[in-house]
């Protein structure tokens, strides 16, 4: 397993842009590292490289059921006619993927059988069919393919999809469950953001909210990560939260609690959002009537193409839509941000929570997701 320091990366040399495209040089070459797998083919074929990387979290990330300080990711590059598309798989441990599983999956792919990257539906159907699961690894291919195609078309994906960059929502900044002192410090750090996402689900929920409310009046949303098990207590808590200026409640109860969740949504004064309860496109319809909306994440649903379909279906079902992320570099976050103009809320702070990002991409300006007019997913490696 390679573990690259940002210092080595910065020392590795400069990136040369050519022909108006960004990122024509291999990130892995720039990082002076041998990727764990290389498929070099003739002209007009897709070739894949991938490389493991560990994200360092600025703060230990504590949810209702776990705590960690690093997140393993797999970086991918797909090259076609000298143009490189970048992708990423983020693999927090609770999702069951790892450097090893991703490397195994990506090693089995034979992308060199494809000579036309625009046959994306066909290519991604092949990738999805190679093995079950491996959703993040599949997303790393999907994102790299979208980046590649956008660069070939010389357009960013939000434009290809017909979205208006001016309609992106504010992004929420996440505050994990922690001691009062640490929460207070995080709220100070979060001052540029117009909405905060507060993790709840342990035994200090009210203290978390009261601590934050003593410092700021910005809108809050909460993510319980399945932490509440009694629907009556959950409803009481949601009424209390409404009085505190909370905007929505994400995954309040265990994902298996379908009937209780449908009851809670029907009676809740705040929208409820499914996160752990759904992954892919067929799940959207199952969430209809159970939750008010869905949280789409590229790492759960195999990437941008399926995420776009989920967004369209949820809208047709009159459901709320948010787009979220894992802890990720600006690569996967910028890919997700291409969908953000059509969402109600977005939670795209994954790159802001790490100290060793290796891309620049979407920016947060005045708390708002700000898309840039660069082709593909709009990123450049930091050299
Ligand atoms: Mg969540």
């Amino acid at each position: 397993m390679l573990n690259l320091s940002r210092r080595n990366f910065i020392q590795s040399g400069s990136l040369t842009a050519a022909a108006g495209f960004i990122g024509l040089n291999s990130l892995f070459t720039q990082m002076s590292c041998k990727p764990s797998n290389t498929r070099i083919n003739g002209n007009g074929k897709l070739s894949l490289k991938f490389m493991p990387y560990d994200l360092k979290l600025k703060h230990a990330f504590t949810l209702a059921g776990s705590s960690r300080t690093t997140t393993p990711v797999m970086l991918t590059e797909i090259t076609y006619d000298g143009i490189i598309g970048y992708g990423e798989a983020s693999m927090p441990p609770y999702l069951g993927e790892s450097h090893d599983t991703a490397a195994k999956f990506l090693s089995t792919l034979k992308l060199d059988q494809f000579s036309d990257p625009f046959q994306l539906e066909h290519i991604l159907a092949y990738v999805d069919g190679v093995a079950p699961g491996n959703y993040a690894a599949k997303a790393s291919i999907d994102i790299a393919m979208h980046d590649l195609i956008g660069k070939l078309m010389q357009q960013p994906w939000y434009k290809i999809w017909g979205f208006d960059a001016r309609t992106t929502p504010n992004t929420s900044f996440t505050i994990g469950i922690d001691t009062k002192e640490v929460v207070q410090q995080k709220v100070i750090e979060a001052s540029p953001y117009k909405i905060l996402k507060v993790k709840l689900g342990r035994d200090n929920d009210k203290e978390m909210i009261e601590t934050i409310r003593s410092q700021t009046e910005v809108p809050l949303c909460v993510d319980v990560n399945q932490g509440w098990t009694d629907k009556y207590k959950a409803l009481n808590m949601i009424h209390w939260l409404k009085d505190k200026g909370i905007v929505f409640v994400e995954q309040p109860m265990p994902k298996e609690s379908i009937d209780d969740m449908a009851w809670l949504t029907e009676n809740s004064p705040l929208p409820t959002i499914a996160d752990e309860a759904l992954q892919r496109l067929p799940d959207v319809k199952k969430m209809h009537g159970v939750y008010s909306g869905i949280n789409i994440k590229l790492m759960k649903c195999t990437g941008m193409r399926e995420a776009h379909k989920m967004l369209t279906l949820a809208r047709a079902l009159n459901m709320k839509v948010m787009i979220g992320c894992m802890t990720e570099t600006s690569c996967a976050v910028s890919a997700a941000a291409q969908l953000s103009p059509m969402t109600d809320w977005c939670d795209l702070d994954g790159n802001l929570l790490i100290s060793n990002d290796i891309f620049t991409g979407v920016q947060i300006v005045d708390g708002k997701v700000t898309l840039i007019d660069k082709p593909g997913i709009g990123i450049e490696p930091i050299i």
Side-chain angles (χ1 to χ4, degrees):
M1 182 189 302
L2 293 170
N3 190 356
L4 301 167
S5 75
R6 183 190 174 99
R7 193 159 148 263
N8 288 341
F9 178 74
I10 290 169
Q11 286 172 342
S12 65
S14 62
L15 182 75
T16 305
F21 296 109
I22 58 170
L24 286 174
N25 283 7
S26 167
L27 173 65
F28 307 156
T29 304
Q30 297 301 314
M31 292 172 103
S32 302
C33 288
K34 188 175 180 296
S36 54
N37 186 48
T38 304
R39 295 181 187 279
I40 302 294
N41 305 291
N43 287 339
K45 300 276 188 185
L46 296 171
S47 70
L48 168 66
K49 298 176 189 174
F50 57 88
M51 183 178 67
Y53 188 63
D54 279 311
L55 303 183
K56 297 186 176 85
L57 309 188
K58 291 176 183 171
H59 295 284
F61 198 62
T62 304
L63 308 178
S66 64
S67 183
R68 66 178 195 278
T69 56
T70 62
T71 300
V73 302
M74 186 70 85
L75 303 172
T76 55
E77 291 182 357
I78 297 176
T79 305
Y80 178 82
D81 274 354
I83 309 296
I84 296 175
Y86 297 111
E88 176 181 8
S90 174
M91 300 172 289
Y94 60 87
L95 292 180
E97 289 179 74
S98 65
H99 283 156
D100 288 344
T101 63
K104 187 177 172 199
F105 176 79
L106 295 171
S107 297
T108 63
L109 297 180
K110 294 183 169 41
L111 295 187
D112 54 359
Q113 68 183 287
F114 299 105
S115 56
D116 182 357
F118 289 94
Q119 291 179 355
L120 190 55
E121 198 72 45
H122 185 46
I123 295 166
L124 295 181
Y126 156 75
V127 171
D128 198 21
V130 164
N134 295 283
Y135 296 150
K138 289 172 182 175
S140 76
I141 299 296
D142 167 282
I143 294 168
M145 284 302 303
H146 279 80
D147 193 36
L148 173 66
I149 290 169
K151 286 171 177 169
L152 290 167
M153 295 175 75
Q154 300 190 53
Q155 295 293 337
W157 269 95
Y158 71 86
K159 285 191 175 177
I160 295 169
W161 279 326
F163 298 163
D164 183 346
R166 294 170 299 181
T167 64
T168 56
N170 291 324
T171 190
S172 53
F173 185 87
T174 301
I175 300 194
I177 298 169
D178 222 313
T179 63
K180 193 171 176 178
E181 293 69 29
V182 174
V183 168
Q184 285 172 332
Q185 183 56 39
K186 287 183 184 172
V187 173
I188 293 168
E189 268 180 51
S191 59
Y193 299 91
K194 307 283 196 243
I195 180 169
L196 304 181
K197 178 167 171 174
V198 186
K199 295 287 189 179
L200 298 183
R202 288 199 174 171
D203 54 5
N204 63 342
D205 288 351
K206 288 189 177 178
E207 182 190 88
M208 285 283 297
I209 297 297
E210 282 167 344
T211 299
I212 294 165
R213 270 290 168 254
S214 70
Q215 290 176 272
T216 178
E217 288 301 314
V218 297
L220 306 177
C221 50
V222 302
D223 186 357
V224 189
N225 290 111
Q226 314 183 72
W228 299 340
T229 51
D230 181 302
K231 66 180 181 181
Y232 300 106
K233 285 185 185 170
L235 184 59
N236 283 340
M237 189 65 190
I238 292 174
H239 278 288
W240 184 86
L241 289 168
K242 182 170 191 298
D243 291 340
K244 300 289 179 188
I246 275 62
V247 179
F248 66 80
V249 180
E250 184 177 331
Q251 200 64 56
M253 300 190 70
K255 59 185 179 184
E256 300 82 10
S257 303
I258 305 295
D259 292 343
D260 284 355
M261 209 37 247
W263 177 89
L264 187 61
T265 296
E266 192 173 345
N267 291 284
S268 171
L270 296 176
T272 60
I273 304 294
D275 184 4
E276 288 89 336
L278 93 158
Q279 293 195 302
R280 302 193 58 178
L281 180 61
D283 299 326
V284 176
K285 196 160 179 291
K286 295 178 199 163
M287 298 298 107
H288 184 52
V290 180
Y291 295 82
S292 318
I294 58 169
N295 185 353
I296 299 171
K297 291 177 181 170
L298 302 188
M299 297 303 146
K300 293 193 304 187
C301 74
T302 72
M304 296 167 69
R305 192 153 187 87
E306 187 148 324
H308 183 263
K309 293 177 184 178
M310 293 171 76
L311 172 71
T312 306
L313 176 56
R315 284 288 179 226
L317 294 170
N318 200 27
M319 296 176 77
K320 298 283 188 187
V321 176
M322 68 178 291
I323 183 116
C325 63
M326 310 295 175
T327 41
E328 297 165 353
T329 72
S330 291
C331 175
V333 169
S334 298
Q338 304 297 316
L339 289 153
S340 65
M342 288 294 284
T343 60
D344 298 288
W345 302 290
C346 71
D347 181 24
L348 295 178
D349 63 348
N351 56 333
L352 307 172
L353 303 175
I354 63 172
S355 59
N356 59 341
D357 198 353
I358 46 167
F359 293 95
T360 58
V362 65
Q363 301 285 313
I364 307 301
V365 179
D366 234 1
K368 185 176 151 76
V369 175
T370 305
L371 293 161
I372 49 176
D373 193 9
K374 284 185 179 173
I377 58 172
I379 62 166
E380 286 187 69
I382 297 171
I383 300 295

